[in-house]
Amino acid sequence: MTFGSIISWIVCGLIVGLISRFLVPGPQSMSMPMTTLLGIAGALLGGFLYSLIRGAAVDPFSFTDNNWYGWIVSIMGGMLLVWIYPYFAPRKWWY
C-alpha cells in the first residue's frame, strides 16, 4: 500500500462520511476524524454486503469505468454506520 493510496482512502472516506451524514436525518454529534473513519468503514461494510448479495466484489473507491455503484454502495454503508453510531457512542453524563 502506497502513501498515495492511503491518502485517497482518507479523502474518499471523508467524502462518503460527509454525504452519509447529510443524508441521515437528525443531528450527528461527531468529529471530522470520526466522520472519516465511519466513511471508510461504511465503504468496507457496503462492499462486503454487496458481495454477499450479488456474489461479485466491488471496489468502493475505484475511479475507472465510471464505477458509480461502488460509491452508492459505499454511501449506503456509511449511512448505516452513521445511523447506528449514536447507539454505541459513549454518552457524556457530566453536563
Side-chain angles (χ1 to χ4, degrees):
M1 200 168 207
T2 65
F3 181 73
S5 64
I6 293 171
I7 295 297
S8 69
W9 271 83
I10 291 171
V11 170
C12 293
L14 178 63
I15 292 168
V16 168
L18 288 174
I19 292 171
S20 299
R21 281 183 66 180
F22 177 74
L23 293 176
V24 173
Q28 295 95 23
S29 58
M30 65 183 79
S31 64
M32 281 298 179
M34 182 54 71
T35 301
T36 303
L37 289 175
L38 287 178
I40 293 170
L44 294 173
L45 176 67
F48 175 71
L49 293 176
Y50 181 83
S51 67
L52 283 180
I53 294 170
R54 183 119 194 271
V58 61
D59 184 11
F61 297 135
S62 174
F63 295 108
T64 60
D65 300 329
N66 291 327
N67 188 5
W68 291 108
Y69 58 90
W71 283 93
I72 292 170
V73 166
S74 299
I75 292 169
M76 289 173 63
M79 288 175 61
L80 180 64
L81 289 182
V82 167
W83 180 63
I84 291 174
Y85 175 75
Y87 298 108
F88 294 103
R91 307 237 186 244
K92 293 181 183 175
W93 54 271
W94 59 84
Y95 287 46

